Amino acid sequence: MPKDLVFPDPISGMQRLWWPLLVSYRPTSGDDSFVFRLRAWPGQQTVQQIIKALPLIESGMEHKIWKVEPVTGDVNAIDISAGTPPSFEALSIPEQMRLCRPSDADWRIYMGWNVLGEEVHLDPHNKSALLLTGEPGSGKSVLLLRLLRSWKKSGAIVHIADFKRSGDFDDLGADGCPVLGDDVDAVITMLEKARDVIDGRVVRMAELQQSNYWNYQPDARPPLYVVAIDEVQELLETSGVTKEQKQKAEHAAALLRSLVKLGRSAGVFVVLSTQKSDATAIPTNLRDQMGLRISGRQFTPEASKAALGSVPDGFRPDDTDVVPANTPGRMVMVGQGAPFVFQCAG
């Protein structure tokens, strides 16, 4: 038994494992699953030591522990979920949860539901970028369409470049905001215009003694300004191209880095979608600045790490227990609290 899990019994003086205090338990939405709140013995244990002892606790309970969460406001306690884990397949989702909705006043977008059937949202508050990745057929284009349509319905200014030229986004075009194809020069002009918007908003906020778009009340803000590029790797390709094409790709990457770095405080939000997210598809110094990331199914652990960074095994989208094959719309999100898996409502 690990030494740091063993403590001297104050009565007998013998060395033994001190089981944590059971504070409470409650059933979850399932029939045979419960949440147990455990607290460390004051001065004798830590939560970290309890977590190390979870395999022993699981063995003693004779039930699988499938979730561990901290307790808000109590650093000495954890909640463990044990029993039969929930599954997406067992959920009964009402039709209204499958519909596209406008964003709320803070531009939050309803995306779908988690494994407990709870609604999940994309929250751009104080963020500047989302990287959306996944193998072909994983559902990333459906999610991208949902996000852009919801923002458009809510009055956001939406600029789109569709390098796949699929036609999926054509209904989102508008006067002054056409949906661009694979015209690199036009896309660079779009990015330069977005950079000008940042500069203009920063000047206007300074005149009002403000420095952050998100500090305004919702009804006093200008619209969220969204720049979305589908299959962005086509824009950023620098291998096997001419010198002129490489210069344009590098210029586009520099503009995108600038938008991601400065867009948060000006209400400019960048969405980049790509099948591949490794350094051959998107420069590392751009990818690593993108605080919000969503990934559908990935082929390999390396692809998962490129898409999401380091995440626990229970959230790796190359793992068929996390994102099974042939489940379009099953996604993993990081950057918005703890990692979570959700099903896109598309």
Side-chain angles (χ1 to χ4, degrees), residues 303-317:
S304 289
K305 186 171 183 180
L308 299 176
S310 297
V311 294
D313 286 347
F315 296 96
R316 283 204 347 251

Side-chain angles (χ1 to χ4, degrees), residues 263-316:
R264 176 188 63 82
S265 61
V268 173
F269 192 81
V270 175
V271 183
L272 303 182
S273 176
T274 177
Q275 293 181 20
K276 294 171 59 181
S277 53
D278 60 17
T280 65
I282 181 169
T284 303
N285 59 4
L286 170 59
R287 183 189 66 203
D288 291 350
Q289 288 187 48
M290 305 187 76
L292 298 176
R293 301 194 194 182
I294 295 176
S295 176
R297 176 95 181 119
Q298 297 283 355
F299 288 115
T300 65
E302 293 76 20
S304 289
K305 186 171 183 180
L308 299 176
S310 297
V311 294
D313 286 347
F315 296 96
R316 283 204 347 251

